[in-house]
Amino acid sequence: MINVLFFAAIREEAGVEQVTVDKQDITVKELKEYMQKTYKLSSLNQTMTAVNEEFVTDEETIGAGDTVAFIPPVSGG
């Protein structure tokens, strides 16, 4: 199982703060595609992704027990 955390606008769009996904040994890209289809998210292409609190690329493999966070770009002033 993979624990997935949503932040900011993605959390609002998904309607949940976190979910558990019954998958393992998939890439970040594959998880993004699955999450977009499952939660009807507009896009996760511009999001930063962290696995176990470390930023990773879309090619990173996610294993059972990992925590993945999707963090959209933010601006402020």
Side-chain angles (χ1 to χ4, degrees):
M1 301 273 238
I2 298 170
N3 189 36
V4 180
L5 307 175
F6 299 115
F7 290 91
I10 298 172
R11 178 181 353 180
E12 292 174 20
E13 190 176 359
V16 294
E17 185 174 317
Q18 68 180 37
V19 296
T20 302
V21 178
D22 190 18
K23 294 189 177 291
Q24 62 185 19
D25 299 324
I26 63 171
T27 65
V28 168
K29 182 179 180 179
E30 291 168 331
L31 180 62
K32 283 182 177 181
E33 291 169 354
Y34 173 79
M35 299 310 288
Q36 281 180 240
K37 289 178 187 172
T38 303
Y39 291 92
K40 308 213 183 331
L41 302 174
S42 56
S43 178
L44 293 176
N45 293 333
Q46 298 300 318
T47 63
M48 296 289 292
T49 305
V51 176
N52 300 326
E53 299 183 8
E54 291 191 27
F55 288 111
V56 296
T57 65
D58 282 354
E59 291 75 36
E60 183 77 21
T61 300
I62 305 164
D66 285 345
T67 297
V68 178
F70 291 120
I71 307 163
V74 294
S75 63

